Amino acid sequence: MRRISRITVAGAATASLALALAACGGTSTDSGSESKGDKGLAIAYDVGGKGDQSFNDAAYAGLEKAKKEFGYETADVEPTDGETNADKEQRLVSLAKQGYNPVIGVGYAYAAPLKAAAEKYPETTFGIVDDATIEAKNVADLVFNEEEASYLAGVAAAKSSKTKTVGFVGGVDNPLIHKFQAGYEQGVKDTDPKVKVISQYLTQTAEEGGFASPDKGKTAAEGQIEKKADVVYAAAGLSGQGVIEAAAANKVWAIGVDSDQYKQEALAKYKDYILTSATKDVASAVYNLSKSVEDGKPETGIVRGDLKSGEVGLSDSNPKFADNAELQAAIKTAKEKIISGEIKVKSS
């Protein structure tokens, strides 16, 4: 087990100040001595930050579980508007310098900054969610087969549509979100070739707000609904809240993403229109990396979650979804075929 340091009030205040400065792109943590304590898990959020009811909040749930179980000090740091890779690297370096271990970058945007930080702190375990490009002895690439859960979402959409038209809203036009689109479209077409899929991306880059603009998501969904889409699946982070809002306003189905959005407090007034969510267990990935460090056997390399491991799938919190026997049978069959290899799900 890790040695848990006892930090004085003054020391804790200094650490908090350093974190705040690092979050704002400050460099004050470059001066002064490194933390002698062995702290616990720290996460640096992706675009949208905590409160997105989706991707980032799932990471925070993993941090909270680790904090409760191991009783150590944790940290979670927000991104800033218009930040550079240098700002991200400084944030990660600051956390490692203060003694946090592991340090996790939530999102592929941390790839280059995290690689640089890991080289500077080889004794610290780093993790990155949604990126598999970093090869280092002290880095765990926490990735998922999102296309498999999205295929099941496509099955659910095709079986639930009455207009034979469904929608897909992607936050940013990039390879990661292409996996969601590809799996979804394949699931729809394999279930009912007559169902049309309208797909749309909100922005070309994350900096344009594709993952952090509910208004953009709402406008996109409204456009698809006008074209008769009666099920809309969003893989768009915080922007997905706008998609769900538009679906509820027009009394059509929304399919959430990453977290079980039917259970999200901020979305409670829309939940009757959230059919299901294509989930990926970012919380478990974050917690498991933390536990591996706690146990003295840090995970490294590619750590993949898929349908077989149960780390991607569909939520069944909505009784209208869970109690639909025909729909559940179709999803079960598709799931079994994916796990057995009979169905090969496309990732692009």
Side-chain angles (χ1 to χ4, degrees):
M1 297 293 286
R2 80 167 67 227
R3 175 177 56 80
I4 302 176
S5 61
R6 296 187 180 277
I7 302 171
T8 65
V9 173
T14 301
S16 298
L17 175 60
L19 267 177
L21 289 168
C24 296
T27 57
S28 68
T29 51
D30 288 341
S31 62
S33 60
E34 295 186 13
S35 168
K36 301 300 182 183
D38 188 10
K39 300 177 185 177
L41 169 64
I43 60 177
Y45 293 116
D46 197 5
V47 173
K50 187 163 64 175
D52 67 352
Q53 313 300 320
S54 182
F55 183 63
N56 289 298
D57 281 3
Y60 180 70
L63 178 140
E64 285 289 278
K65 181 179 178 181
K67 181 178 181 179
K68 182 177 180 181
E69 182 164 331
F70 306 131
Y72 54 32
E73 184 175 351
T74 60
D76 58 309
V77 189
E78 297 283 352
T80 58
D81 292 337
E83 67 184 22
T84 65
N85 276 353
D87 295 326
K88 290 184 174 69
E89 181 183 338
Q90 173 60 30
R91 181 177 301 126
L92 299 171
V93 166
S94 171
L95 292 166
K97 189 172 186 177
Q98 292 174 69
Y100 289 100
N101 187 21
V103 175
I104 300 178
V106 184
Y108 63 87
Y110 278 98
L114 191 136
K115 182 179 180 182
E119 289 173 355
K120 293 178 180 178
Y121 284 84
E123 299 304 313
T124 299
T125 296
F126 289 82
I128 183 165
V129 182
D130 282 350
D131 181 86
T133 64
I134 303 174
E135 296 180 8
K137 291 181 180 179
N138 61 327
V139 176
D141 298 322
L142 309 175
V143 294
F144 302 85
N145 288 0
E146 295 94 349
E147 68 277 10
E148 295 178 351
S150 295
Y151 184 101
L152 298 184
V155 174
K159 297 291 287 185
S160 301
S161 178
K162 296 177 181 177
T163 63
K164 299 292 184 180
T165 303
V166 300
F168 171 81
V169 176
V172 176
D173 189 353
N174 64 32
L176 173 64
I177 307 303
H178 293 170
K179 293 171 68 179
F180 289 87
Q181 179 189 3
Y184 180 68
E185 291 181 346
Q186 185 182 350
V188 170
K189 293 301 180 183
D190 284 358
T191 303
D192 187 346
K194 294 180 181 179
V195 176
K196 177 183 177 182
V197 183
I198 304 171
S199 294
Q200 179 180 349
Y201 286 92
L202 301 179
T203 63
Q204 293 298 306
T205 67
E207 289 73 22
E208 296 171 278
F211 292 134
S213 305
D215 57 326
K216 293 181 189 293
K218 182 179 180 180
T219 299
E222 287 172 341
Q224 294 185 351
I225 293 166
E226 285 178 5
K227 296 175 182 177
K228 305 302 182 186
D230 60 353
V231 185
V232 184
Y233 173 38
L238 184 64
S239 299
Q241 292 190 33
V243 174
I244 291 170
E245 181 184 350
N250 289 276
K251 294 181 169 54
V252 302
W253 287 120
I255 296 178
V257 76
D258 292 342
S259 298
D260 182 355
Q261 297 196 298
Y262 183 89
K263 290 184 174 180
Q264 296 294 334
E265 230 176 272
L267 301 173
K269 60 184 175 181
Y270 310 125
K271 71 177 186 179
D272 289 344
Y273 296 95
I274 301 175
L275 180 65
T276 181
S277 296
T279 61
K280 61 181 183 183
D281 203 347
V282 174
S284 286
V286 167
Y287 167 80
N288 289 339
L289 179 58
S290 187
K291 187 176 188 303
S292 74
V293 173
E294 183 75 5
D295 292 343
K297 299 177 181 179
E299 291 179 327
T300 58
I302 294 177
V303 182
R304 184 176 298 279
D306 58 15
L307 208 54
K308 186 175 182 179
S309 71
E311 291 173 77
V312 303
L314 290 187
S315 62
D316 59 2
S317 299
N318 189 334
K320 292 180 182 178
F321 173 77
D323 297 341
N324 186 323
E326 182 184 348
L327 179 54
Q328 291 301 319
I331 290 169
K332 181 182 178 183
T333 298
K335 181 178 179 179
E336 290 172 348
K337 288 183 177 180
I338 292 171
I339 291 174
S340 71
E342 184 177 344
I343 292 177
K344 305 289 186 185
V345 184
K346 298 174 183 177
S347 59
S348 62

